[in-house]
Amino acid sequence: QVQLVEFGGGLVQAGGSLRLSCLASGRTFGSSAMGWFRQAPGKERELAAAISWGIVRTHYADSVKGRFTISRDNAKGTVSLQMNSLQPEDTAVYYCAAKPTPYSGDLYYTDDNYAYWGQGTQVTVSS
C-alpha cells in the first residue's frame, strides 16, 4: 500500500514556476515507479512525467520536455515536479501516482498501470 498526498499547486502567471511535491507513505514507495499526471477541463488525463526506481530513468511528455523536471527522494518519501516557463495550457489538476514494481528502471506511461493515486492539486496559469 502507498498513500500519496500532493502539495504545491496554485495560481501563477505565464512564464512563472511552481514546484509540486508528493509525499508518499507505505513500505513499497522505494520500489515504486512514480508518475505525475494532469487533467485539464474537458480533456483526458495524460502523463506529464514519470520516474523509475533503482536505476533512475525519467520520461517527459513532449509538451513539457525542457520545462518540467521530475525527481524523487526515497529517504524523504517524496517525488517532486519542478515546472518552469508555465503556460496557460499547463492549467490542470495534477495527480501523483505510484506503481509498485519489482523491475527497477522501468517506466510506465499510461494511467491504467498505476495502482495508487493522490487526490490531485490544482495548477492554474494565467495569461
Side-chain angles (χ1 to χ4, degrees):
Q1 284 271 358
V2 180
Q3 294 80 42
L4 304 171
V5 180
E6 299 100 336
F7 300 93
L11 174 64
V12 64
Q13 289 188 332
S17 298
L18 280 175
R19 184 177 180 85
L20 304 182
S21 294
C22 175
L23 179 62
S25 59
R27 297 176 61 185
T28 59
F29 171 73
S31 57
S32 294
M34 302 297 295
W36 280 101
F37 287 77
R38 63 185 186 180
Q39 187 167 22
K43 295 188 177 181
E44 292 188 354
R45 187 162 55 188
E46 63 175 3
L47 178 71
I51 189 166
S52 62
W53 68 273
I55 303 170
V56 175
R57 298 169 58 220
T58 57
H59 169 81
Y60 298 94
D62 287 343
S63 58
V64 308
K65 200 172 294 183
R67 300 187 298 123
F68 289 12
T69 303
I70 189 171
S71 60
R72 67 188 297 161
D73 185 333
N74 287 343
K76 295 182 179 179
T78 59
V79 59
S80 298
L81 186 67
Q82 177 66 42
M83 305 185 295
N84 299 328
S85 302
L86 283 162
Q87 299 301 316
E89 51 266 34
D90 295 314
T91 294
V93 178
Y94 283 71
Y95 297 91
C96 174
K99 176 183 171 57
T101 173
Y103 306 111
S104 68
D106 277 12
L107 292 166
Y108 299 88
Y109 307 105
T110 58
D111 56 3
D112 57 344
N113 277 300
Y114 289 81
Y116 303 101
W117 293 83
Q119 81 288 351
T121 186
Q122 177 70 47
V123 172
T124 303
V125 185
S126 63
S127 57

